[in-house]
Amino acid sequence: MAGKQDKEAAKEAKREKRAAGKARRGQLFEAFKMQRREDPMLIPWMVGSIVVVAGVLFGIGFLFDIQWTLLPLGVVLGVLLAVIIFGRRVQRTVFAKADGQPGAAAWALENLRGKWKVTPTVAATTQLDAVHRVLGHPGVVLVAEGAPHRVKNLLAQEKKRVSRLIGETPIYDFTIGHEEKQVPLKKLQSHLTKLPRNLKPAQVDALEAKLAALGSRGAAMPKGPMPAGAKMRNVQRTIRRR
């Protein structure tokens, strides 16, 4: 009886794995169709990367009379490069569509790569300005989005509120935007990774426990609609896994 149940479980696991793979392929295909409509240079870049990489390895192999051995490797590496280019161009399109829309910074933070602990909308106004809190190796990072003259005070108040609990732990703050001293949405990930590594993982966990007592204040950001392109979040994750 147990053997029969194990077989059924194994079959069910295989079916789920096939279904998940089919769903991922479907997401990639839909993303490709969407990107191709908006990005006429997508296919030339992808095809060109395959041709160039394969050609380079074929040329190297020709010098040593092993060109036909290296050609398949060149094609494989070229396809890999084409997938990377596809992912980068999709990401660029997604961020371009989301840029400037309410909730875009929260969406971008929740899709950060790496071990960041994100708490969206810890402070907000009825005009959809918001401050989001991020914990990581740098310490506490407060990210604001909205009108600069309103988020300036919002940031200062949240920074004061957090500092009462965390003592000497570093606090960084910045606003998403394109004005002087602001950080563009598309550069959010790189900006965070450039901050100093002040805390160890255990210290980050302890910091999270301390700040868990702080609730959100102000008007909550609306759950929808999400910024244009946000629906492609799962596609980006699929691309990163490949």
Side-chain angles (χ1 to χ4, degrees):
M1 186 66 179
K4 185 177 180 180
Q5 290 178 341
D6 290 341
K7 288 182 180 180
E8 288 297 327
K11 288 181 180 179
E12 182 63 26
K14 288 182 179 179
R15 283 194 292 266
E16 291 178 358
K17 186 176 181 180
R18 285 197 295 268
K22 185 177 180 180
R24 285 196 297 270
R25 289 192 294 272
Q27 288 175 351
L28 285 171
F29 184 64
E30 288 300 318
F32 177 78
K33 291 195 297 183
M34 291 172 63
Q35 185 67 19
R36 187 178 61 178
R37 286 195 296 267
E38 300 194 20
D39 184 2
M41 292 302 296
L42 176 65
I43 292 180
W45 271 101
M46 293 180 69
V47 173
S49 65
I50 296 173
V51 172
V52 169
V53 175
V56 168
L57 263 72
F58 185 86
I60 293 174
F62 185 80
L63 296 176
F64 300 96
D65 198 26
I66 54 171
Q67 63 269 31
W68 300 111
T69 302
L70 291 184
L71 181 60
L73 177 61
V75 172
V76 171
L77 293 178
V79 169
L80 178 61
L81 179 59
V83 171
I84 293 173
I85 290 173
F86 167 60
R88 293 288 177 85
R89 294 181 82 88
V90 166
Q91 187 179 55
R92 187 177 66 180
T93 299
V94 169
F95 276 90
K97 286 186 174 183
D99 197 10
Q101 297 194 40
W107 163 75
L109 288 170
E110 290 178 336
N111 285 278
L112 287 173
R113 295 187 298 271
K115 296 181 179 180
W116 300 96
K117 300 177 184 292
V118 178
T119 305
T121 321
V122 293
T125 69
T126 55
Q127 291 87 4
L128 301 184
D129 311 297
V131 174
H132 315 290
R133 188 174 67 231
V134 183
L135 306 182
H137 293 297
V140 178
V141 185
L142 300 176
V143 181
E145 59 177 322
H149 65 281
R150 290 195 297 263
V151 298
K152 182 178 180 180
N153 290 332
L154 204 62
L155 265 175
Q157 292 170 13
E158 187 60 26
K159 190 171 183 179
K160 184 177 180 181
R161 195 166 74 115
V162 170
S163 63
R164 290 171 181 167
L165 280 180
I166 64 173
E168 298 299 319
T169 302
I171 302 177
Y172 302 89
D173 63 88
F174 57 87
T175 303
I176 297 297
H178 297 279
E179 297 182 8
E180 188 179 358
K181 295 183 179 180
Q182 292 183 338
V183 177
L185 185 68
K186 64 181 181 180
K187 295 184 178 180
L188 176 59
Q189 173 86 38
S190 61
H191 186 80
L192 287 173
T193 55
K194 289 177 182 178
L195 294 175
R197 298 175 66 88
N198 300 311
L199 304 181
K200 296 180 179 179
Q203 292 174 304
V204 176
D205 293 338
L207 185 61
E208 183 181 28
K210 279 186 180 181
L211 293 176
L214 285 180
S216 298
R217 61 189 179 87
M221 292 288 286
K223 294 183 179 178
M226 291 297 290
K231 62 184 179 180
M232 298 176 70
R233 174 177 60 187
N234 292 334
V235 174
Q236 290 176 270
R237 289 176 176 170
T238 301
I239 292 169
R240 289 200 296 265
R241 285 199 297 266
R242 292 202 161 198

